[in-house]
């Protein structure tokens, strides 16, 4: 929810007689992940007590940001979506506006930030949120309809980084009174890591794939994992010979590429939105 919408809710709490503590508790209950802080609620309560009736941003002094226009916002959105690895200077040169204006557009208007050298949305878009709601409701409906059958057919996957060392916990590093600290080799933080793709169902892990050093998970690589998944399911889950597995995957680029969708179609899958059921046979 946006800041302007929260201001309206804060005004509603003020008008019905809730104090700041009760208003904060009410907002936390209904919006636990994005509710405003105590100081913001108190500031707006003070504004309303002084007679303020609107919840809009106050006029600010200074030179207006003439470069931040709807046309430039649309232009930069297209540029970033076409190439997420663009630098601020490159975007500024191409759009003929300053780097500060470009950053304002990316940060305030497009809600994007730099992550791993790529511009990505800071928050989920309304479409992405709705896709997750639809997927969750679909799975919940299937679970309620036949709980046993759902868990027999449900298969999912995820990727995770595995480091080449195991950091020592605080309990492990604790020294008993009267004993000297044991000598151990220095942990090399830069020892490296490997990407693991884990496929599992309600019973156990089906298989784990470790990405070779120097390679990346692209559509071609992921398609081979789907072929392997198909073989493993036929081998380890013979009860799925007649009923299709319910395969759930996220919306990573290689998972939703055209080549991957074609492969899923070849495996007699049903195309579905990210985080929704995809049947493979």
């Amino acid at each position: 929810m946006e800041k302007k919408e929260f201001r309206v809710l804060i005004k509603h709490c003020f008008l019905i007689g809730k104090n700041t503590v009760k208003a904060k508790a009410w907002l936390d209950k209904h919006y636990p992940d994005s509710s405003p802080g105590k100081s913001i609620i108190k500031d707006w309560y003070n504004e309303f007590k002084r007679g303020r009736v609107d919840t809009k941003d106050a006029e600010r002094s200074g030179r207006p940001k003439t470069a931040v226009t709807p046309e430039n916002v649309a232009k930069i959105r297209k540029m970033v979506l076409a190439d997420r690895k663009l630098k601020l200077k490159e975007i500024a040169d191409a759009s003929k506006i300053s780097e500060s204006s470009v950053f304002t557009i990316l940060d305030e208007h497009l809600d994007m930030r730099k992550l791993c050298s790529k511009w990505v949305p800071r928050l989920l878009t309304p479409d992405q949120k709705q896709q997750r709601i639809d997927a969750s409701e679909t799975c919940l409906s299937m679970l309620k309809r036949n709980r046993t059958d759902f868990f027999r057919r449900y298969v999912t996957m995820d990727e995770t980084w595995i480091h080449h060392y195991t950091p020592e916990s605080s309990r492990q590093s604790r020294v008993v009174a009267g004993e000297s600290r044991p000598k151990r080799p220095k942990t090399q933080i830069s020892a490296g890591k490997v990407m693991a793709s884990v496929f599992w169902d309600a019973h156990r892990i089906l298989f784990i794939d470790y990405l070779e050093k120097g390679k990346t998970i692209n559509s071609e690589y992921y398609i081979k994992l789907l072929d392997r998944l198909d073989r493993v399911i036929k081998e380890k889950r013979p009860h799925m010979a007649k009923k299709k597995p319910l395969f759930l995957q996220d919306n990573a680029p290689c998972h939703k590429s055209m080549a991957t969708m074609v492969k899923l179609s070849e495996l007699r899958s049903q195309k579905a939105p990210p985080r929704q059921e995809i049947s493979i046979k």
Side-chain angles (χ1 to χ4, degrees):
M1 184 176 289
E2 297 182 359
K3 294 180 180 179
K4 296 179 180 179
E5 297 172 314
F6 274 120
R7 294 170 189 172
V8 175
L9 293 177
I10 294 173
K11 182 179 179 181
H12 170 73
C13 293
F14 174 79
L15 293 176
I16 64 176
K18 289 182 180 288
N19 58 31
T20 56
V21 176
K22 291 182 178 179
K24 174 62 176 172
W26 183 80
L27 290 170
D28 287 342
K29 178 182 177 181
H30 293 87
Y31 308 96
D33 298 328
S34 55
S35 64
K38 294 180 181 178
S39 59
I40 295 177
I41 296 175
K42 288 182 179 179
D43 290 341
W44 278 101
Y45 262 61
N46 292 332
E47 289 289 330
F48 296 140
K49 288 177 181 178
R50 286 193 287 265
R52 183 169 179 173
V53 294
D54 67 274
T55 57
K56 298 180 180 179
D57 288 320
E59 295 268 341
R60 296 184 181 181
S61 60
R63 183 179 177 181
K65 298 179 180 178
T66 55
V68 184
T69 62
E71 293 77 14
N72 285 335
V73 172
K75 183 191 299 184
I76 292 176
R77 179 189 287 110
K78 290 181 179 179
M79 293 171 60
V80 172
L81 293 179
D83 184 3
R84 292 181 181 271
K85 295 185 178 181
L86 284 174
K87 298 179 180 179
L88 274 178
K89 189 176 187 309
E90 294 172 341
I91 299 175
D93 292 341
S95 57
K96 307 299 182 182
I97 60 178
S98 66
E99 292 185 30
S100 60
S101 296
V102 171
F103 182 80
T104 299
I105 291 174
L106 290 169
D107 182 63
E108 298 181 7
H109 295 267
L110 298 181
D111 286 330
M112 288 188 171
R113 62 190 177 94
K114 201 74 169 179
L115 179 65
C116 297
S117 301
K118 293 175 67 176
W119 290 104
V120 298
R122 182 187 295 108
L123 300 173
L124 293 175
T125 64
D127 289 341
Q128 291 172 330
K129 292 179 180 178
Q130 188 60 48
Q131 287 173 351
R132 282 154 175 76
I133 293 174
D134 294 341
S136 299
E137 290 179 345
T138 300
C139 291
L140 183 60
S141 175
M142 297 176 65
L143 177 65
K144 291 180 178 179
R145 187 164 59 246
N146 192 329
R147 185 183 183 89
T148 302
D149 183 66
F150 179 81
F151 284 117
R152 280 170 57 86
R153 299 167 57 196
Y154 187 84
V155 179
T156 187
M157 68 83 59
D158 202 357
E159 291 101 1
T160 183
W161 285 107
I162 298 178
H163 292 269
H164 294 176
Y165 66 92
T166 302
E168 190 179 51
S169 66
S170 299
R171 182 180 295 276
Q172 291 172 328
S173 61
R174 191 175 299 166
V175 179
V176 180
E179 295 183 0
S180 60
R181 180 179 293 275
K183 293 183 179 181
R184 59 180 183 275
K186 183 179 179 181
T187 302
Q188 296 294 327
I189 303 300
S190 60
K193 56 186 178 180
V194 63
M195 172 68 77
S197 299
V198 186
F199 292 77
W200 74 94
D201 61 5
H203 305 287
R204 60 180 63 86
I205 293 176
L206 294 171
F207 74 90
I208 302 176
D209 179 83
Y210 299 98
L211 187 67
E212 295 181 14
K213 186 176 181 180
K215 290 188 176 182
T216 57
I217 297 182
N218 51 26
S219 298
E220 182 181 358
Y221 189 91
Y222 187 66
I223 287 172
K224 293 180 180 178
L225 294 183
L226 291 178
D227 282 327
R228 183 178 174 186
L229 175 63
D230 187 47
R231 294 193 301 269
V232 171
I233 288 177
K234 291 177 180 177
E235 177 186 348
K236 296 184 177 182
R237 301 292 182 266
H239 64 273
M240 294 186 188
K242 295 182 179 180
K243 289 190 175 182
K244 298 178 181 180
L246 304 174
F247 179 48
L248 196 70
Q249 64 177 11
D250 59 25
N251 61 342
C254 63
H255 296 173
K256 60 180 181 179
S257 68
M258 183 62 67
T260 302
M261 293 296 101
V262 171
K263 184 60 182 179
L264 289 171
S265 178
E266 291 176 357
L267 296 173
R268 298 181 182 178
S269 61
Q270 298 174 353
K271 183 180 177 182
R275 282 295 177 192
Q276 192 165 344
E277 68 158 319
I278 299 179
S279 302
I280 297 180
K281 186 175 181 181

